[in-house]
Amino acid sequence: MSQIVQFVLDFEEDVEKYLNSTYPKMDDYRILNKALDARGSNRGKRPRITYRVEIIALGEKFSGEKESFKELGQLKAKPIIIGAGPGGLFCALRLAEYGVASIVIERGERAHKRMKHIARFWRYGEFNTENNVCYGEGGAGLFSDGKLITRVKSAYVQYVMNRLVDFGAPAETAYVSNPHLGSNKIRMLINKISDFLLEKNCEILYNTRVEELIYKERNVVGVRLSDGREIYSDHIILATGHSAKEIYSHLNDNEVAMKAKDFAVGVRIEHPRELIDQIQYGKFAGSYLGAARYRLSYENKSTQKGTYSFCMCPGGYVLSSGTEAEGIVVNGMSNYARNSRWSNSALVVSVKASVDFSTDDVLNGLKFQHKIENKAYEVSKTLASGKELPSQTLKDFLDGTVGKSVMPKTSTPSGIVEAQLTDILPEFISNHLKDALVQFDRRMDGFVSKKALLLAPETRTSAPITILRDRETLESTSHKGLYPCGEGAGHAGGITSAAVDGVKIAMSILKQEKGLES
């Protein structure tokens, strides 16, 4: 019978050597969890790693069995999944593993073709409405840090991690405490998942936009496509992501139950990676530890508003990630190696529904975002060509000046244009950022640096709307047959939680139609 042990080692100590000396009868082992603790390393304390390991002696087997799936047979009509991001693809995957084929509809190209359109946008400013950082196979997750961290507590989290490993992710993805794939590895995996779905008789319609849902009284019964076709089903999974604004308008016009929700807006801050590594790791910077991460937050007691880091990308890049020709949005990404010369993170301020924008119209959060994005484009167009990202040194931002400091080099392929960011951001966002930056520098001495650059605006941290659904069936509370899914529906916040949400919806459908108990 296997044995599970937990222990802490110095970050440079060899785990296998430790196990062989401590458990001489051990024949094999597998790491169940691995968590780095680098707290205090900037003050000389050596980093340590906590391991949770399963060990077996000769003749023993590791516990647990690989999950098996019984063939349940097709549904009367294939479920329709709108969007080939993590939520949509994992919904289709879970259904397919039980023998249920679906139709996945994606407005953009396959991942490798989508890349070409995005490269032309970054280099020449040639914007493609259907293939950009948010639209196309893989969704926005294809251009992110590729973090798989989630606060969601679900048995399906491990399923998602295991399937990613099955499709080619590094084995450690299944057990490290902060798994990270990077954009380059995610693209490879997405292609393999899609190919697997096609082998399982699923249909994937690329370059096909859903113009509208088809309604029959208070039921959603199908979709009308951009080429005029109509497809019908009893199950419509809406997994369009947080940037498909026209879908929200369509739902609102047809009285689908939604409510405005809080989100966050701010900037992306970029430092030389070497500086962040030094601040966080001290003399251990540049070692096995790799590119350093940080997480910062500050609450203004008088306004009860939080300012915090979000989607930190060690050794990464800042990207232009808008979805409209006359709007600019910034985001961050990094590859698996996290080896660029920069590290970046969003620094965002909470935007509260009914406080910072009226909720008389459920779409007002979208309008709030759009106004900022459009203003950023206008500034860029006035000062440059319209593709360059409005930027300001951190020192100049805090001092309220422009052009007083030398603009540092940047990772963004779109280029930058020096601008007064307070002309783009709402006043309360700018003020809270300035207050928080002072506090952040106290926690990370050197964070406020002449080498730091701010790029704006970061507006798409999450959807500003929740599409309401039943807690048990996960169907829309107002329209039967419609399953709001993932980040765009307000029910997830990242790659893993969106994928888990897709799995949950698949299991709900199988429970209703096939009596399957999870």
Side-chain angles (χ1 to χ4, degrees):
M1 185 175 178
S2 67
Q3 180 183 359
I4 294 176
V5 297
Q6 184 167 309
F7 50 89
V8 180
L9 298 179
D10 181 272
F11 79 105
E12 291 184 316
E13 192 170 349
D14 184 82
V15 64
E16 188 166 345
K17 183 178 179 181
Y18 168 83
L19 287 169
N20 282 329
S21 63
T22 308
Y23 304 95
K25 294 184 179 180
M26 181 189 77
D27 180 58
D28 199 2
Y29 72 94
R30 64 177 180 178
I31 299 173
L32 302 178
N33 189 268
K34 176 182 175 183
L36 171 69
D37 182 359
R39 290 174 296 179
S41 59
N42 57 347
R43 299 187 299 275
K45 181 180 178 182
R46 291 186 65 82
R48 296 164 71 80
I49 298 175
T50 299
Y51 291 94
R52 187 167 177 267
V53 177
E54 183 177 13
I55 59 176
I56 55 173
L58 189 66
E60 294 180 336
K61 293 183 179 181
F62 289 117
S63 62
E65 297 179 1
K66 190 170 182 179
E67 190 173 7
S68 59
F69 303 92
K70 56 184 177 182
E71 186 78 20
L72 297 178
Q74 302 293 346
L75 301 186
K76 182 174 63 175
K78 289 182 178 178
I80 295 172
I81 300 171
I82 308 171
L89 288 176
F90 267 86
C91 182
L93 176 62
R94 189 72 174 189
L95 289 169
E97 303 211 85
Y98 284 102
V100 176
S102 58
I103 301 171
V104 180
I105 303 172
E106 173 51 56
R107 66 190 294 169
E109 281 275 17
R110 293 212 67 169
H112 63 284
K113 293 182 179 179
R114 173 187 173 198
M115 283 290 298
K116 297 176 182 178
H117 295 287
I118 294 167
R120 292 195 67 82
F121 169 56
W122 287 338
R123 187 170 182 181
Y124 304 114
E126 296 176 7
F127 181 74
N128 187 299
T129 58
E130 307 304 303
N131 290 281
N132 47 60
V133 171
C134 291
Y135 300 156
E137 182 184 52
L142 245 62
F143 298 91
S144 68
D145 185 50
K147 293 188 196 73
L148 302 178
I149 305 166
T150 180
R151 295 178 183 175
V152 170
K153 304 299 180 185
S154 169
Y156 299 130
V157 171
Q158 195 59 52
Y159 164 79
V160 170
M161 300 303 173
N162 291 343
R163 292 306 273 136
L164 289 173
V165 172
D166 292 340
F167 286 112
E172 66 179 19
T173 303
Y175 61 77
V176 295
S177 59
N178 294 302
H180 159 257
L181 291 178
S183 289
N184 53 332
K185 289 192 179 292
I186 288 179
R187 291 172 205 144
M188 172 192 70
L189 298 177
I190 291 296
N191 282 328
K192 290 184 178 181
I193 293 172
S194 296
D195 289 343
F196 177 84
L197 293 175
L198 293 171
E199 291 172 7
K200 292 290 186 178
N201 298 316
C202 295
E203 300 174 57
I204 306 180
L205 308 181
Y206 294 105
N207 299 304
T208 304
R209 189 175 64 252
V210 172
E211 293 289 356
E212 56 187 14
L213 305 179
I214 300 173
Y215 302 85
K216 185 177 180 181
E217 297 176 348
R218 302 295 282 186
N219 293 331
V220 175
V221 297
V223 296
R224 188 169 292 111
L225 306 180
S226 50
D227 59 11
R229 281 183 294 166
E230 295 182 355
I231 307 176
Y232 291 85
S233 175
D234 297 323
H235 309 284
I236 313 294
I237 296 93
L238 189 67
T240 52
H242 61 40
S243 292
K245 295 180 179 180
E246 66 274 15
I247 286 290
Y248 294 124
S249 296
H250 170 73
L251 297 176
N252 193 42
D253 290 344
N254 287 276
E255 300 180 347
V256 173
M258 300 187 290
K259 69 175 183 180
K261 76 174 186 67
D262 300 347
F263 53 101
V265 167
V267 298
R268 189 135 297 244
I269 186 167
E270 182 174 68
H271 293 85
R273 189 187 87 193
E274 184 179 19
L275 174 61
I276 295 300
D277 291 353
Q278 186 64 40
I279 291 172
Q280 293 295 80
Y281 293 152
K283 67 180 183 181
F284 302 106
S287 66
Y288 154 85
L289 297 173
R293 296 178 290 118
Y294 62 80
R295 185 169 62 184
L296 296 165
S297 63
Y298 169 71
E299 183 179 1
N300 185 308
K301 300 299 183 183
S302 62
T303 63
Q304 295 186 318
K305 274 190 176 298
T307 302
Y308 54 95
S309 60
F310 173 81
C311 186
M312 198 264 152
C313 299
Y317 304 87
V318 178
L319 305 179
S320 181
S321 56
T323 54
E324 297 175 345
E326 296 186 352
I328 287 179
V329 181
V330 298
N331 191 20
M333 65 154 266
S334 60
N335 290 323
Y336 180 68
R338 286 175 163 168
N339 59 358
S340 93
R341 291 184 290 139
W342 297 270
S343 290
N344 70 77
S345 176
L347 293 182
V348 292
V349 179
S350 58
V351 177
K352 297 184 179 181
S354 300
V355 176
D356 299 313
F357 63 93
S358 167
T359 53
D360 293 344
D361 181 347
V362 74
L363 303 180
N364 277 345
L366 290 170
K367 296 173 184 176
F368 184 97
Q369 292 174 325
H370 175 80
K371 183 177 179 180
I372 298 169
E373 295 163 10
N374 182 248
K375 180 63 176 177
Y377 172 79
E378 289 175 355
V379 167
S380 177
K381 186 72 172 175
T382 299
L383 300 175
S385 73
K387 77 176 182 68
E388 295 81 5
L389 303 180
S391 304
Q392 191 173 13
T393 67
L394 176 51
K395 290 282 192 180
D396 279 359
F397 177 74
L398 290 173
D399 293 341
T401 60
V402 176
K404 297 293 185 182
S405 304
V406 177
M407 294 289 279
K409 291 184 178 180
T410 176
S411 65
T412 182
S414 298
I416 58 175
V417 58
E418 192 170 13
Q420 178 59 267
L421 299 188
T422 55
D423 292 340
I424 296 170
L425 300 169
E427 185 177 8
F428 79 90
I429 299 286
S430 297
N431 290 341
H432 280 81
L433 283 171
K434 290 177 180 180
D435 289 344
L437 282 162
V438 174
Q439 300 299 321
F440 295 163
D441 192 55
R442 291 173 181 168
R443 298 180 200 175
M444 290 179 62
D445 187 22
F447 190 79
V448 174
S449 164
K450 64 181 181 181
K451 297 179 180 179
L453 184 68
L454 302 181
L455 304 93
E458 178 100 16
T459 51
R460 307 283 183 91
T461 54
S462 65
I465 289 171
T466 298
I467 306 172
L468 303 179
R469 68 186 190 186
D470 183 87
R471 292 172 65 90
E472 295 297 323
T473 66
L474 307 185
E475 281 182 289
S476 162
T477 56
S478 60
H479 289 71
K480 290 288 186 181
L482 178 65
Y483 297 81
C485 175
E487 201 163 340
H491 298 288
I495 295 169
T496 302
S497 60
V500 166
D501 203 50
V503 173
K504 288 165 59 179
I505 287 175
M507 296 303 290
S508 174
I509 292 171
L510 293 175
K511 180 179 181 179
Q512 293 176 55
E513 297 293 337
K514 299 292 185 178
L516 181 69
E517 294 294 336
S518 57

